[in-house]
Structures are given as structure tokens and as C-alpha cells.
């Protein structure tokens, strides 16, 4: 029998925590064969990313391998010196990190960064390295490749930056590619393109892949085998199809149950009804948002991010605005909240003309519309305690007498499922899901009429995501809340929305109730969004590369 390309045996990883060492991976054994895709699945803190960093020899300074071996082609990497590890890292084992913007150097062009890898590991000349970098960017389908090679990371979209990371990781034709949540922050259509690209490259180069994810839908799309980790331990290991169809461990069953399931709902039968005379809570008419764009020779033009869109949201209901990055969905929502300026149109919230307000009138009106942002860690002040974060809107907007604010904050912690004694903690002392609960409590503090959820669950593990979605729905039912739900993920949208507006390049290209959009979308763009959602329910059209 052929020996595995990579073998991790009885691995234990510990991190220093004050006077003692805390295990984050315990007695883990896995293997990887040439040309196959192994997926390591688990929620944040399960140890999956720490395992990848150990394989790369990139454990943080407070971490150590306390026991076990990591064998690459029979050689134990845990006892290699730094020079030997550098010869393997980036050359024979490469890694794609979750967020390319933090992994790419902002002061060098993307072409220069790929060329640097080739100069260091392959000893190519500057000219040959640059030529090879162009070829690699072309292979990952970067458009206008020679011009884009001279672009800086901030000048590229999220999907293009991730393609650059893939090109860099594959520059030296590694035998193993480790992809750590490579598409979590990407639109579903871009995610599908990245997965297809990874599958094609695996077939062409026979590169083995370790795919780290929290999403069993991604596993169904990509993996040959799957290892499920929970609290640092391996709880399930097997062929992907068998694990998905017949999960044995309760945690695996929970992961699978948490994956959004797309269903083709039958459109409701249209019956003769009395006209609905209820006024919408939010009415948007002909909303246009433009931004100045710097052009060559000092001339400026206006870029239209939102192009005269109109929609209504009824009280107590949820309207989802979906679309890819750059479609204008977040800009439209921020214009409703007056966080960006609109150049034309009308926004009426509970009878108030939002675009006509200024000064103190605008400040008071903002109490009626609050936002839950995508990343709770960056949207919470790290210097404030959780209770003070929730208190801040009450202090700034003065919507409640000071004597009643302590009781209000305590009640909000109860509502979002947090303990009152956690009000004294700082954001870094909470998990990602708990931080999002703080964000929800803050949004509720002023008793708003409308809450904008801007990709509010896209950065969360699927189990935590399901809990937050349940919480939002419970709060809506109990408090008669109205949501404007911004998302690129139609699997999530189907769980929470009543109506859907599909945006593309600043326009609303389709609008309808949930059943109609999911059962009979009229636009090809909407159908593409639906087709791109990774799901364990859909049979794979193209199986992953097999060893």
C-alpha cells in the first residue's frame, strides 16, 4: 500500500495561558493521500486552523507541539530546523488564508508578491519570475492580466484577491495545498468559481488539498474525505458521502442540521382578496446614490452605486436585499439609515422623510433605525465593556431617562441570551456568536422601528449562525420588529425573509415574495445565485479529484 503524502500522528498542541498550558488539539491523527481533498470541519475553537498552522510550522509564539509527529513524505517535520522547514513551507506545502486582504502586502503589487515567491524558492531571475507570475495570474483567470498584475491588493475585488492568493500558493507547484476557510467572506457566485478553479487545478497538478471549513455544504461540494473536530478532538472521520448521509457523532449531526437547506417552495395560489390598505413602515422611491471616482488627467466622474431603486417594507416583516459584492445592496441600506448620502429619491420611515432631515432632527430620527454589522469584533469598541456598548446609544440619543437605563440594559442582555454578569466583560472575552448578540442588544436599545442586518451572520459558524437567525426571528415575533436583511446567501435568506429584492449593478432586477423567487425566479441572475449556494442536498455535478 502506498504511504500517505502527509500523516499527522497523535498530535497534541498546547497554548500558554498564564501559568499553565492549555490543549487546543488533543491526540489528533489524520492522513492525506496524493491528489485527494481532505476536509477538516468544525466550529471556531475546534482546533482545525491550529492543526493547519502546525503542519505549516507557523504556530504562534505561545503555542507548542507537546506530543505527536507530522510526517511529510516520511520526514518528521516536528524535529526539523528552521532552514529545512522554510525549504518545505511555500515550496512543497502552501496555504491559502481566510482573508486575503490581511495576507497580501498592501505596499507591493500583486504581481511583485507572486514573483517574490518564485525568486526565493525557485531562484528565478526578476524577468523570469515576473513572466511566471503573469502566467499564474492568467491561470486563475484574472482579467486583463498584464495590467492587473501591476495593481495593489486594495484595487481588486475580494474574489480577485483570493485568486491572487491561490496563484501565489500554487506558484511553486506544491504537493499539498492547505485552504483555510478560503471563501467564507466571498459571494456565493464567486465562491462557486473559486471551488471550480481549485478542482480544476487539483486535477491538472495532482495537488492534494486540506480544506478547512465550518460548512458541511462546502464539504459536499469539494471533499473526498472529511474529519470532524470538536473542542480539539477528532470526533468523526470517513468518506465525505458516508459522513454526510450517515453521521455518527451528535456534533456532526448538529453541523449537518445547521446547513441552510434550499427548498423549491410552491408559489402561493393567487386568490381574490381585498386590497391591503396598510401603509408600509419603510417606503423607498427612486433612490440614487453616487460616489466620485478619480479618473486620469485630474477629471472626476460619478459612479452610480444605486440606480433609482424602489421598494416597500411592511411593519413586522423582513425584506431581504440580495446580490453579489458591488451590487449596491449595502449602499442602499446605509442610505436608508442616512449613513451615506443619497443624490436623489425619497426614503420615508414610519411617516418621516429621512432624506429631508438635518441636525438634531436627524439625530433623533436615527434612534428609529439601527444596524447590525457583519463583523461584530470590528463594530464593537474594544475599550468599552459590553454593558457600556449597549448603553452608548441610549446616552447619545437620550431616548430613555438615565435612571431607567441600567434596567433596560439588563433586560436586553436577557432578551439576547446573555447573562447579566457578562455586562462587565470586554468584547475580546466573548465568542463570535456572543459578540453578535451584544450587537443585537445594542441595536434594540433605542427601541427602533427598523433594524438593518448587514450580512449579520455571514462571518459566523453554521451552528452559531443558526442560533442567531433563530434569535432574530424570536425577537421579531415578540417585539414586532421590521428587518431589512442584506445578504449574498440565498440559503440564509430563505429562512428569514418574507420578500426579496435582487440587486445587480445598482438596479433591482427582481422583486417578489419568497415562494415565487425560490420556486420560479424570472431572471437568469437570480437563478445563478440559487445555483451557486453550496448545499448537501444537491448532487455534485463534478466530483472532486480522486487519488
Amino acid at each position: 500500500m502506498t504511504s500517505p503524502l502527509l500523516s499527522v500522528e497523535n498530535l497534541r498542541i498546547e497554548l500558554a495561558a498564564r501559568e499553565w498550558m492549555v490543549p487546543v488539539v488533543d491526540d489528533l491523527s489524520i492522513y492525506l493521500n496524493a491528489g485527494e481533498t481532505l476536509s477538516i470541519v468544525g466550529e471556531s475553537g475546534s482546533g482545525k486552523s491550529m492543526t493547519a498552522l502546525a503542519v505549516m510550522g507557523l504556530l504562534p509564539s505561545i503555542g507548542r507541539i507537546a506530543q505527536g509527529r507530522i510526517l511529510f513524505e516520511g520526514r518528521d517535520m516536528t524535529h526539523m530546523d528552521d532552514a529545512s522547514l522554510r525549504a518545505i513551507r511555500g515550496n512543497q506545502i502552501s496555504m491559502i488564508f481566510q482573508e486575503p486582504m490581511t495576507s497580501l502586502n498592501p505596499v507591493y503589487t500583486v504581481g511583485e508578491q507572486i514573483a517574490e515567491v518564485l525568486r526565493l524558492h525557485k531562484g528565478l531571475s526578476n524577468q523570469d519570475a515576473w513572466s511566471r507570475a503573469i502566467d499564474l495570474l492568467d491561470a486563475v483567470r484574472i482579467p486583463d492580466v498584464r495590467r492587473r498584475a501591476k495593481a495593489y491588493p486594495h484595487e481588486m475585488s475580494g474574489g480577485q484577491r483570493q485568486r491572487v492568493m491561490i496563484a501565489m500558493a500554487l506558484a511553486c507547484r506544491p504537493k499539498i495545498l492547505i485552504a483555510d476557510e478560503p471563501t467564507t467572506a466571498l459571494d456565493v457566485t464567486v465562491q462557486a468559481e473559486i471551488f471550480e478553479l481549485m478542482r480544476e487545478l487539483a486535477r491538472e497538478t495532482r495537488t492534494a488539498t486540506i480544506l478547512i471549513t465550518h460548512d458541511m455544504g462546502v464539504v459536499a461540494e469539494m471533499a473526498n474525505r472529511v474529519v470532524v473536530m470538536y473542542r480539539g478532538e477528532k470526533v468523526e472521520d470517513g468518506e465525505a458521502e458516508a459522513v454526510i448521509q450517515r453521521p455518527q457523532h451528535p456534533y456532526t449531526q448538529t453541523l449537518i442540521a445547521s446547513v441552510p437547506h434550499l427548498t423549491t417552495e410552491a408559489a402561493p395560489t393567487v386568490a381574490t382578496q381585498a386590497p391591503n390598505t396598510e401603509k408600509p413602515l419603510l417606503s423607498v422611491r427612486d433612490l440614487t446614490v453616487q460616489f466620485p471616482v478619480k479618473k486620469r488627467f485630474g477629471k472626476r466622474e460619478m459612479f452610480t452605486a444605486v440606480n433609482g431603486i424602489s421598494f416597500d417594507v411592511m411593519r413586522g416583516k423582513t425584506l431581504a436585499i440580495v446580490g453579489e459584492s458591488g451590487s449596491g445592496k449595502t449602499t442602499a441600506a446605509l442610505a436608508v439609515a442616512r449613513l451615506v448620502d443619497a443624490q436623489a429619491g425619497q426614503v420615508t420611515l414610519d411617516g418621516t422623510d429621512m432624506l429631508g432631515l438635518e441636525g438634531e432632527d436627524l439625530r433623533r430620527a436615527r434612534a428609529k433605525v439601527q444596524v447590525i454589522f457583519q463583523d461584530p469584533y470590528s463594530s464593537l469598541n474594544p475599550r468599552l465593556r459590553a454593558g457600556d456598548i449597549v448603553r452608548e446609544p441610549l446616552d447619545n440619543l437620550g431616548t430613555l431617562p438615565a435612571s431607567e437605563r441600567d434596567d433596560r440594559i439588563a433586560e436586553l442582555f436577557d432578551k439576547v441570551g446573555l447573562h447579566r454578569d457578562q455586562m462587565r466583560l470586554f468584547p475580546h472575552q466573548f465568542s463570535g456568536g456572543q459578540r453578535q448578540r451584544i450587537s443585537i442588544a445594542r441595536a434594540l436599545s433605542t427601541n427602533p422601528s427598523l433594524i438593518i442586518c448587514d450580512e449579520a451572520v455571514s462571518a459566523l459558524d453554521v451552528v452559531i449562525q443558526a442560533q442567531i437567525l433563530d434569535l432574530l426571528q424570536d425577537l421579531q415575533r415578540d417585539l414586532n420588529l421590521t428587518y431589512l436583511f442584506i445578504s449574498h446567501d440565498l440559503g440564509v435568506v430563505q429562512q428569514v425573509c418574507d420578500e426579496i429584492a435582487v440587486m445587480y449593478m445598482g438596479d433591482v432586477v427582481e422583486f417578489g415574495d419568497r415562494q415565487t423567487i425560490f420556486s420560479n425566479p424570472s431572471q437568469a441572475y437570480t437563478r445563478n445565485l440559487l445555483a451557486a449556494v453550496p448545499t448537501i442536498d444537491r448532487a455534485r455535478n463534478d466530483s472532486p479529484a480522486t487519488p
Side-chain angles (χ1 to χ4, degrees), residues 397-412:
L397 298 174
T399 57
L400 196 68
S403 60
E404 300 178 20
R405 290 173 193 172
D406 286 343
D407 289 341
R408 173 66 172 164
I409 295 165
E411 291 172 2
L412 288 169

Side-chain angles (χ1 to χ4, degrees), residues 6-33:
L6 178 74
S7 180
V8 175
E9 300 177 354
N10 308 113
L11 183 67
R12 180 183 175 91
I13 302 173
E14 296 177 341
L15 297 181
R18 297 187 180 181
E19 296 85 14
W20 57 88
M21 301 299 290
V22 177
V24 292
V25 174
D26 193 17
D27 197 28
L28 175 66
S29 295
I30 60 175
Y31 68 91
L32 178 70
N33 294 316

Side-chain angles (χ1 to χ4, degrees), residues 348-368:
T348 305
L349 177 63
D350 206 7
T352 299
D353 177 11
M354 293 294 292
L355 300 188
L357 298 176
E358 297 295 342
E360 184 63 22
D361 292 335
L362 176 59
R363 193 178 71 86
R364 285 197 300 267
R366 277 189 171 137
K368 292 298 182 182

Side-chain angles (χ1 to χ4, degrees), residues 313-479:
V313 188
M314 306 306 292
R315 190 182 302 273
K317 300 297 183 180
T318 299
L319 170 67
I321 304 180
V322 302
E324 299 170 297
S325 294
S327 63
K329 57 186 186 298
T330 294
T331 301
L334 295 180
V336 167
R338 287 294 305 273
L339 295 177
V340 300
D341 291 330
Q343 279 63 53
Q346 185 178 28
V347 175
T348 305
L349 177 63
D350 206 7
T352 299
D353 177 11
M354 293 294 292
L355 300 188
L357 298 176
E358 297 295 342
E360 184 63 22
D361 292 335
L362 176 59
R363 193 178 71 86
R364 285 197 300 267
R366 277 189 171 137
K368 292 298 182 182
V369 52
Q370 294 292 301
V371 184
I372 304 170
F373 294 97
Q374 176 175 353
D375 182 2
Y377 194 77
S378 63
S379 65
L380 300 178
N381 190 328
R383 296 185 177 185
L384 293 183
R385 299 180 188 274
D388 293 331
I389 289 171
V390 177
R391 174 191 294 274
E392 193 173 28
L394 295 173
D395 291 341
N396 290 339
L397 298 174
T399 57
L400 196 68
S403 60
E404 300 178 20
R405 290 173 193 172
D406 286 343
D407 289 341
R408 173 66 172 164
I409 295 165
E411 291 172 2
L412 288 169
F413 269 68
D414 292 340
K415 285 185 183 298
V416 300
L418 293 172
H419 298 294
R420 296 189 178 192
D421 56 10
Q422 291 177 301
M423 290 189 292
R424 299 175 56 254
L425 302 180
F426 291 94
H428 73 272
Q429 296 175 289
F430 292 89
S431 68
Q434 288 173 325
R435 285 194 288 265
Q436 199 61 300
R437 290 175 186 267
I438 297 171
S439 298
I440 294 171
R442 179 178 61 183
L444 291 172
S445 63
T446 61
N447 194 27
S449 302
L450 175 72
I451 294 181
I452 298 171
C453 303
D454 186 9
E455 301 280 10
V457 298
S458 65
L460 302 177
D461 298 334
V462 287
V463 175
I464 306 301
Q465 180 186 90
Q467 294 171 2
I468 296 299
L469 290 175
D470 287 342
L471 172 62
L472 289 172
Q473 290 178 296
D474 289 344
L475 291 170
Q476 183 176 47
R477 182 178 60 251
D478 296 342
L479 304 175

Side-chain angles (χ1 to χ4, degrees), residues 71-335:
L71 303 177
F72 172 63
E73 294 186 324
R75 294 173 290 167
D76 188 356
M77 297 176 63
T78 60
H79 292 101
M80 287 183 180
D81 57 29
D82 289 342
S84 299
L85 279 175
R86 283 196 299 269
I88 293 175
R89 186 170 53 231
N91 191 17
Q92 299 189 69
I93 304 178
S94 290
M95 190 166 181
I96 305 170
F97 294 94
Q98 178 173 348
E99 178 43 66
M101 195 61 185
T102 60
S103 305
L104 294 171
N105 192 322
V107 301
Y108 290 97
T109 67
V110 296
E112 288 171 336
Q113 295 184 59
I114 298 173
E116 182 184 30
V117 174
L118 294 161
R119 289 195 299 268
L120 290 175
H121 288 293
K122 296 301 183 183
L124 297 185
S125 66
N126 290 340
Q127 182 177 349
D128 289 342
W130 180 260
S131 178
R132 175 65 179 148
I134 296 295
D135 292 340
L136 286 163
L137 289 172
D138 187 52
V140 297
R141 302 190 189 93
I142 294 292
D144 196 6
V145 63
R146 294 189 180 277
R147 183 179 66 87
R148 300 301 287 168
K150 298 177 181 179
Y152 293 90
H154 73 273
E155 296 178 301
M156 310 185 84
S157 69
Q160 288 177 332
R161 286 194 293 265
Q162 198 62 289
R163 290 171 188 269
V164 171
M165 287 296 299
I166 294 174
M168 190 179 301
L170 295 175
C172 297
R173 294 188 175 273
K175 295 181 179 179
I176 297 176
L177 177 65
I178 301 175
D180 187 4
E181 301 277 11
T183 62
T184 297
L186 301 180
D187 300 328
V188 287
T189 50
V190 178
Q191 176 179 263
E193 293 172 1
I194 295 295
F195 284 153
E196 178 59 28
L197 175 62
M198 290 175 63
R199 280 194 291 262
E200 288 184 12
L201 293 172
R203 285 193 296 267
E204 293 170 3
T205 64
R206 295 287 293 167
T207 299
T209 302
I210 297 177
L211 177 62
I212 296 171
T213 184
H214 60 255
D215 190 340
M216 293 299 290
V218 170
V219 172
E221 296 270 346
M222 293 293 296
N224 304 115
R225 292 189 299 109
V226 58
V227 167
V228 182
M229 294 186 67
Y230 179 64
R231 294 185 177 179
E233 297 182 354
K234 180 176 70 175
V235 298
E236 194 146 358
D237 184 352
E239 297 296 320
E241 185 176 357
V243 171
I244 290 170
Q245 293 184 357
R246 298 179 296 279
Q248 301 300 307
H249 194 273
Y251 177 67
T252 312
Q253 295 167 0
T254 300
L255 279 179
I256 292 173
S258 300
V259 177
H261 293 261
L262 285 179
T263 58
T264 303
E265 304 182 53
T269 302
V270 177
T272 302
Q273 298 178 348
N276 186 357
T277 58
E278 181 185 359
K279 291 183 178 181
L281 174 75
L282 174 67
S283 179
V284 175
R285 291 292 178 270
D286 303 317
L287 182 66
T288 299
V289 181
Q290 297 178 318
F291 299 107
V293 179
K294 186 176 181 179
K295 306 296 286 186
R296 292 183 178 180
F297 310 114
K299 294 183 179 180
R300 283 183 174 269
E301 294 183 0
M302 299 299 290
F303 168 72
T304 301
V306 178
N307 187 25
I309 68 171
S310 300
F311 59 83
D312 292 331
V313 188
M314 306 306 292
R315 190 182 302 273
K317 300 297 183 180
T318 299
L319 170 67
I321 304 180
V322 302
E324 299 170 297
S325 294
S327 63
K329 57 186 186 298
T330 294
T331 301
L334 295 180

Side-chain angles (χ1 to χ4, degrees), residues 502 504 508-511 517 520-530:
V502 182
Y504 177 68
V508 172
V509 296
E510 187 158 6
F511 188 98
I517 295 294
N520 189 30
S522 63
Q523 299 296 314
Y525 178 69
T526 309
R527 293 193 290 270
N528 289 339
L529 286 178
L530 286 165

